[in-house]
Every structure is written in structure tokens, then in C-alpha cells.
Amino acid sequence: MTNVTATVVRLKLSLLRNGLRQSGGRRAAYIASAVVALLFATLQLLGLIMLRGHAHAVSLVVLLVAVLSLGWAVMPLFFPGGDETLDPTRLVMLPLRPRPLVRALLAASLVGIGPLFTLLLLVGSAIAVAHGAAAYAVAVVAVPLALLVCVALARAVAAANVRLLTSRKGRDLAVLSGLVIALGAQAVNFGAQRLGRAGLGELDPAAAVVRWLPGASALGAVHSAGSGAYGVAAGQLLVSAGGLAALVAVWARTLTRLMTAPDASTLPAGEPAGRERDSSQGLARLLPAGRTGTVMGRSLRYIWRDPKTKAAWVTSLAIGLIVPVFNAVQGTGSIYFACFAAGMLGIQMYNQFGQDTSAFWMVALTISSPRDAYVELRGRALALLVVTLPYATLVTVVTTALLGDWGRLPEALGLSLALLGAMLATGAWTSARFPYSIPQEGHKNVVPGQTGLAWIAIFGGMVAAALLCAPVIAVTVWLNVTGEAGDVGWLLLPVGTVYGALITWLGLHLAAPRTAARLPEILTAVSKG
């Protein structure tokens, strides 16, 4: 058993190491993302330690661990990278039994930035609620127990969804999961806002329930031991231990099914081809002729048919609407929150070639000059605008109606269009400069070794887009500060529209030569999945 575990851990380390050896840029991106993540975790650790002695610290800690466990369950499925643990479907042909494989994969899952980030938060949480030698003794058991619960939960959920995310029939559930994540993120956001107004005491009723859930109960046991309630502490530790055992059992059963049963999620062999009508076909008649229309049709078809692309779009659509509307309903919003709609959909312009995966070689064969690359990028940007322009306009109008601030509608819409143009420009450039692969199999959205590259591409591009949009933002701020927005604020709509169009045009023209020159590197990067 030990040999299997050691072998799988070494295999995990080898995959990460070999991925980082492929290029200096990828290695730098990974290191930069690791430094940022660990710096944030260290700051959280210090913040939790400062809560030590607070009357309601235990309520915050148990809820934090619960949210952390939930994040481990959903992040590997729907956000880039996750913890990059090994995909169990790649081991089905090896003579391995499920239970030893579970132990090996569990150990391998503890290697990476994610587990270290979680460990730092758990250590800070334990210090925040530990009082006395008995509490620290329980913390020695509780911290690794809570970490194992988080990892086992992630692996159990991921293993159960490996085939779902690669199945045409499972795409609707994947989309629904994206909506759930979007709603959950906003629930956390509004909860934090309410907490800031009312204080940590508001957490006590929820914490009284959550402290008996696996994972969170382990940290609750630390506080109970410090309070002298040793029986309660033992019970809470048993809850987490039992939860871990149940998760491992479910994981082992799922692995057994994956390793022994055929994939029944695909279409039956006798089902007629083309039975399901692609609804994007009707739109093809409205698209322009030539390569531009072909590229737009292909991109729209990806949005409609590819499960991962569709889930990303639906999640972005949901967050882009939820953030401004929910804040407006609660009376804490601003009309400028409507820019979330353009921002969230603008992210879809990033890593355009990675969405094609290994099929990009057929696109690459048609690009022989910067002009060909420009037309390709332009078609992809126009496909995105088909959805984004009416959607951003609709969200801005709805937000304005809820706030009753119709005088600022031109300002907000102009700023949204300028932001959208900036994100299209930076998205085109980062697609050529920082391409990464999206695996077609498994639950990850980035192949091992490219996680840092993906985060740098996305967040670096977003920062660049904000800088490009700075002139329009500065004009908007100046008009509102000087009080002239009521007289000439409407000018921001045409200004933002023209500025966004010019920035997009410039970004596409700058990205086209780089795309044409880096076709071999792009093809290599996006074909790793």
C-alpha cells in the first residue's frame, strides 16, 4: 500500500515539475501565482490570530471552515486549475484496487498550493479559538482532520462528475451548477455586507448548527476542549472523522464504478446522427458571409454545445446580472455596478484558442498571415458581441430602473461599452501570448503545470483592461465631482462606444501579428489536454 501511495505522489510531483520545465514564462507565472496565494493566506492567518480572545471568534471560525469546505467541493470543477490532483480515469487500465488507490490519490491531493493555503487558514482558525493545553492537543488532531475532509470532499465530488462534465447529456446539470455557484458567491457577498453592519454576533445562530457539520466540527472541538466541554469536543471530532470515513467510502465506490463500468452517459450507438438540432444553425443565416461569418458561427456553436464553455458563459451571465440587481434591490447598489455585465462576459474573450483544444490545428492551417489571424480574432470578438452588447445594455437599463437614476444611464452604459472594448482588446492579446489548454476529459479546466499561466493571463489581462479604460473612468469621475454630469453626462455614451470600438480594433491589430508568428507555440500549448 505504501509503495502505491509513494508512487502516485512521485507521479504527481513529476507532472507538476515537467509542466514547469516546458517554458520559463510558465514557470514564472506559476511562481507568481503561488506567491500571491501564499501571501494572501499568510495575511488571513495573521488576521485569524488577531481574533484570539474575541467573544464570537468561534462562530467566525466554524463558518469559515464550512465555506472553505464548500469551496473545495466546487472550485476544482468550475474554476481554472483547482488543486491539480491526478485524474482517476487515467488510471483505470492499471491493476490497482480502489481502496489503495483512494489512499494514494488522497496523499497526492495534499501536494500543491491549494492544500498549503487551506492548512494556513486552518492553523490560524485553531489558534484563534484554542485556550489551554487541552485545546491545543485537540487542535493537533483537528487541523489535519479538517484538511483531509476538505480534500476528500473535493475528490469525491470530482470523481462523481468526471464523466458528467465530458458528457453531452450532462451539460445542463453543469450549467445549473454554474448558476448555483454564482448565487452562492453573491450570498456570501451579501452576508459579509450584513456582517459588517451588525457585527460577528450575527453569526452565532448559524454557527450553532454548522459547528456540528464535518470539517467545521473539528475546529468546534478545539473551542469546546478549551471551554472544558470534553464530551462535546469528542463528539465533534467523531462527527468529522465519521464524515471523512463516509466521503472516502463514497469516493471508493465511485472509483470502482469508473474502473469497472462502461460510460453510459454517451448517446446510444443506434441513435440517428443529427437528432438533436443545433439551435445556433438558425442564427447562421444572419451572420456575414466569408471567414468572419464562419468563425462567428463556430464560436457560437461552442457556446451552445460545449459543456464547459456553456457553463462558463451561464455563470458569467448570472453573476453579471445578480451583482448589480441584488445590490440595487438591497439599496446598497450603484448604477456603475452594471459594468459587471460587460466585465464578466468580457472574460470569455480570454484564451480563445484554448477553447478549441487540439482541434486548433485545423484553424492554424488556415492562418498564413497576420491578416488571416486578424480576421480570425475579429470573428471571435464579433461572436462575443452578439451576446454581450444586448445583455450589457439590458442589465444597465434594469439596474437604472431599480435605482430610479435615469440621468446616469448614458454614463453607465458608455463606461460598460468602453470596459467591454478594453477586455476584448486585452483578451485577444493574452489569447496569443498566454494560451493554455482546457482538458476535454476530467474535471479540470487547466492541465497540470498551466494553472499559474491561466491565472496570470486572466487577472493580468483584467488589470490591463482597467488601465486601458482609465481615461473614460477619469472623465466620468471628473464630471461627477465637478457637478457637470447632469449637463454633458450623456456624451459619455458616444464617447465610451467610440473609445471601446477603437481599443478593440487596436487590440485585434496588435494581437494578429503575434498570433500568426506564434502559431506553433499556441498549438503546442492548447493541445496538452
Side-chain angles (χ1 to χ4, degrees):
M1 307 305 178
T2 305
N3 291 336
V4 174
T5 301
T7 300
V8 174
V9 171
R10 286 196 301 270
L11 179 59
K12 168 71 177 292
L13 292 173
S14 297
L15 288 174
L16 292 175
R17 184 172 58 252
N18 293 338
L20 296 176
R21 284 177 177 174
Q22 293 178 2
S23 70
R26 184 171 301 162
R27 186 162 51 251
Y30 181 85
I31 293 174
S33 62
V35 169
V36 171
L38 295 180
L39 178 61
F40 179 75
T42 302
L43 294 176
Q44 295 297 311
L45 171 64
L46 296 176
L48 288 168
I49 293 176
M50 293 175 63
L51 280 176
R52 180 177 173 81
H54 194 283
H56 304 287
V58 63
S59 298
L60 177 64
V61 162
V62 296
L63 289 174
L64 173 64
V65 177
V67 172
L68 199 61
S69 302
L70 180 62
W72 267 91
V74 300
M75 290 284 281
L77 291 172
F78 302 105
F79 289 88
D83 62 353
E84 292 186 346
T85 51
L86 300 174
D87 185 351
T89 60
R90 303 193 179 210
L91 305 176
V92 295
M93 300 302 295
L94 299 178
L96 299 173
R97 294 183 178 180
R99 291 196 177 275
L101 183 59
V102 164
R103 286 190 286 269
L105 290 176
L106 186 62
S109 299
L110 295 173
V111 177
I113 301 174
L116 181 57
F117 178 91
T118 304
L119 179 62
L120 291 175
L121 292 187
L122 292 175
V123 169
S125 299
I127 295 175
V129 298
H131 299 282
Y136 280 105
V138 172
V140 173
V141 178
V143 169
L145 181 60
L147 178 61
L148 289 174
V149 169
C150 290
V151 175
L153 176 60
R155 295 305 93 211
V157 173
N161 287 274
V162 164
R163 288 178 174 171
L164 172 65
L165 294 182
T166 59
S167 168
R168 288 289 310 278
K169 289 186 175 180
R171 65 188 180 192
D172 293 332
L173 183 56
V175 171
L176 178 61
S177 300
L179 286 173
V180 171
I181 293 172
L183 292 171
Q186 284 307 303
V188 172
N189 176 38
F190 295 132
Q193 292 180 4
R194 180 177 177 182
L195 184 62
R197 294 191 298 267
L200 294 180
E202 288 287 316
L203 300 177
D204 291 345
V209 177
V210 172
R211 71 181 58 188
W212 288 100
L213 297 179
S217 65
L219 273 298
V222 177
H223 178 264
S224 298
S227 302
Y230 301 116
V232 175
Q236 289 175 315
L237 285 177
L238 286 176
V239 168
S240 286
L244 176 61
L247 288 171
V248 170
V250 171
W251 186 11
R253 189 177 300 112
T254 303
L255 281 178
T256 302
R257 186 169 63 252
L258 287 173
M259 298 172 72
T260 59
D263 186 359
S265 63
T266 56
L267 293 174
E271 185 168 337
R275 180 177 178 179
E276 180 183 350
R277 185 177 183 270
D278 185 358
S279 63
S280 64
Q281 293 289 338
L283 185 61
R285 297 191 302 269
L286 304 177
L287 300 179
R291 177 167 185 154
T292 299
T294 302
V295 174
M296 292 178 65
R298 185 206 319 138
S299 298
L300 293 172
R301 194 171 297 113
Y302 278 153
I303 295 172
W304 181 253
R305 300 188 57 159
D306 181 66
K308 290 187 176 181
T309 303
K310 190 175 184 179
W313 269 86
V314 171
T315 302
S316 296
L317 288 168
I319 295 178
L321 178 65
I322 290 171
V323 170
V325 170
F326 277 27
N327 278 280
V329 170
Q330 287 199 343
T332 59
S334 166
I335 191 173
Y336 300 109
F337 280 6
C339 293
F340 265 91
M344 291 304 302
L345 293 189
I347 294 176
Q348 304 307 317
M349 186 64 186
Y350 294 83
N351 195 36
Q352 279 292 306
F353 306 128
Q355 298 175 13
D356 298 350
T357 63
S358 58
F360 178 69
W361 73 269
M362 292 187 291
V363 177
L365 290 175
T366 66
I367 299 177
S368 59
S369 66
R371 174 63 184 175
D372 293 335
Y374 171 75
V375 176
E376 176 72 25
L377 290 170
R378 183 182 63 186
R380 293 172 183 252
L382 289 174
L384 189 144
L385 288 174
V386 167
V387 180
T388 306
L389 278 179
Y391 178 78
T393 303
L394 176 63
V395 171
T396 306
V397 171
V398 170
T399 305
T400 303
L402 291 174
L403 295 174
D405 195 3
W406 292 101
R408 292 188 177 181
L409 174 60
E411 299 177 34
L413 187 54
L415 189 58
S416 293
L417 297 179
L419 175 62
L420 177 60
M423 298 198 73
L424 291 178
T426 56
W429 192 86
T430 57
S431 293
R433 182 61 183 85
F434 300 109
Y436 56 90
S437 179
I438 301 176
Q440 292 301 291
E441 297 181 359
H443 55 276
K444 299 187 291 292
N445 289 314
V446 184
V447 298
Q450 292 188 340
T451 304
L453 187 69
W455 284 110
I456 290 296
I458 294 174
F459 286 102
M462 291 172 64
V463 171
L467 294 176
L468 288 176
C469 199
V472 180
I473 297 176
V475 172
T476 304
V477 173
W478 180 78
L479 289 177
N480 283 276
V481 170
T482 59
E484 297 183 12
D487 298 326
V488 295
W490 63 271
L491 289 174
L492 285 174
L493 178 55
V495 168
T497 303
V498 173
Y499 185 82
L502 289 176
I503 288 294
T504 301
W505 177 84
L506 180 61
L508 294 178
H509 275 277
L510 291 177
R514 181 172 291 273
T515 300
R518 300 190 73 248
L519 279 179
E521 292 87 348
I522 295 173
L523 183 58
T524 300
V526 303
S527 300
K528 296 183 179 299

